[in-house]
Amino acid sequence: LNKKFEVNDLGDLHWYLAIKVEREDGVFKLSQEQYVKAIIAAANLPKGELVAKATPETEVLMKLTKEMGPQTEEEKKDMALVPYRQILGMLMYLMVCCRPDIMHACKMLAQFCTNPGKQHWTAMKRVLRYLAGTADLQLCLRGGEEPPLLEVFVDADGSDGFAAEGRGVLGVLSSITTLTDEHGVPVRAFFKWYAPFTTTVSRSDAETELMGIDQGHRDGIYCRGICKDLGAKQRVRTTVFSDCRSLDLR
């Protein structure tokens, strides 16, 4: 870059858009602990309500509905003082950058941002408690001499507990593997994740799972193109993993 542009070399990257970057033995460790603290501070929760949790308690998110929005003028005034949309936006940035573990929670909470109620806010506070207990988690990326192996993991659910207006819920994770640990277990680094609803109504769990597998294949094709552009062309077929037991695709 110095040959074409006038730049100042400030050394190794340590912070980038609220993301802390650490290097250790060839591993890039990305974290947003300070940003998590900023989210919790913006929520302005009483100390008694901020009890760290080890899990996001997603079963509560499955039961949220639009009917839980404020019904009376008094309830609307109370919710107008709650920073629901602000916190949701901050959570979504956190999810996109380093925290795929909250993508389902963000997706469920985002459905009610136009008219959130007290139960929606309570569910959001549960996510904040989870983040308070896991603020130091890091997303680790490592390289290797051999081209990384691309893999795609898919899960889908069309049950009543997840479905929104008859649509199923998908979860897609794309990872690269460059080496194995001392026990021979592949060390995967996730670099692309999202949890969309199916674009059409599902008539069964099997159909939802098939939609998820199809979405995983499309994601695999897209990621193979990225790997090729970055000089890491895949030499073998990309495997799409799914826990679907309704179909025998052998």
Side-chain angles (χ1 to χ4, degrees):
L1 289 177
N2 288 330
K3 296 179 179 179
K4 292 189 176 182
F5 304 99
E6 183 179 348
V7 297
N8 293 323
D9 187 357
L10 302 179
D12 291 338
L13 177 66
H14 297 288
W15 287 92
Y16 178 73
L17 297 177
I19 302 173
K20 184 178 181 180
V21 182
E22 298 178 273
R23 292 176 174 84
E24 182 179 345
D25 297 329
V27 181
F28 283 85
K29 299 180 178 181
L30 311 181
S31 62
Q32 291 180 281
E33 184 175 359
Q34 294 301 319
Y35 189 69
V36 169
K37 294 179 179 178
I39 296 175
I40 295 172
N44 196 27
L45 299 180
K47 292 184 178 180
E49 292 189 13
L50 191 59
V51 180
K53 297 289 185 179
T55 61
E57 301 182 49
T58 53
E59 69 276 0
V60 178
L61 301 170
M62 301 178 211
K63 301 176 182 178
L64 298 178
T65 64
K66 293 181 180 180
E67 286 69 27
M68 294 177 180
Q71 303 298 323
T72 65
E73 290 299 324
E74 183 178 355
E75 291 178 347
K76 293 179 180 179
K77 290 181 180 180
D78 291 339
M79 287 307 300
L81 303 175
V82 174
Y84 188 92
R85 297 178 185 84
Q86 176 189 356
I87 302 302
L88 177 62
M90 297 178 78
L91 288 176
M92 293 184 71
Y93 179 70
L94 177 68
M95 176 269 294
V96 167
C97 292
C98 298
R99 296 296 296 266
D101 53 329
I102 64 170
M103 66 177 177
H104 176 68
C106 289
K107 190 258 313 281
M108 298 302 288
L109 293 171
Q111 298 178 85
F112 314 105
C113 62
T114 57
N115 189 37
K118 290 184 178 180
Q119 289 171 285
H120 302 134
W121 177 236
T122 299
M124 181 174 284
K125 288 190 289 187
R126 290 178 180 270
V127 177
L128 295 178
R129 294 189 189 103
Y130 167 68
L131 290 174
T134 59
D136 58 346
L137 287 184
Q138 297 174 314
L139 182 67
C140 298
L141 304 173
R142 71 180 70 221
E145 296 181 0
E146 296 295 326
L149 176 65
L150 174 65
E151 296 173 317
V152 181
F153 297 82
V154 178
D155 194 13
D157 199 300
S159 63
D160 293 337
F162 285 95
E165 300 177 355
R167 294 182 295 163
V169 177
L170 308 179
V172 184
L173 286 159
S174 299
S175 74
I176 52 175
T177 303
T178 56
L179 71 167
T180 57
D181 62 14
E182 62 273 14
H183 303 293
V185 178
V187 179
R188 294 185 174 92
F190 294 102
F191 69 96
K192 187 175 185 293
W193 53 83
Y194 58 104
F197 287 112
T198 57
T199 55
T200 59
V201 175
S202 307
R203 293 172 294 182
S204 66
D205 282 351
E207 187 174 352
T208 304
E209 292 280 4
L210 193 57
M211 291 181 182
I213 294 172
D214 174 69
Q215 187 65 42
H217 277 85
R218 284 186 282 171
D219 202 64
I221 294 172
Y222 173 76
C223 291
R224 285 178 69 91
I226 293 179
C227 291
K228 182 180 179 181
D229 292 342
L230 295 177
K233 184 178 180 180
Q234 295 297 291
R235 300 174 181 175
V236 297
R237 294 181 178 179
T238 298
T239 303
V240 178
F241 293 89
S242 172
D243 63 350
C244 177
R245 298 183 180 180
S246 304
L247 302 169
D248 187 353
L249 301 179
R250 291 177 295 175

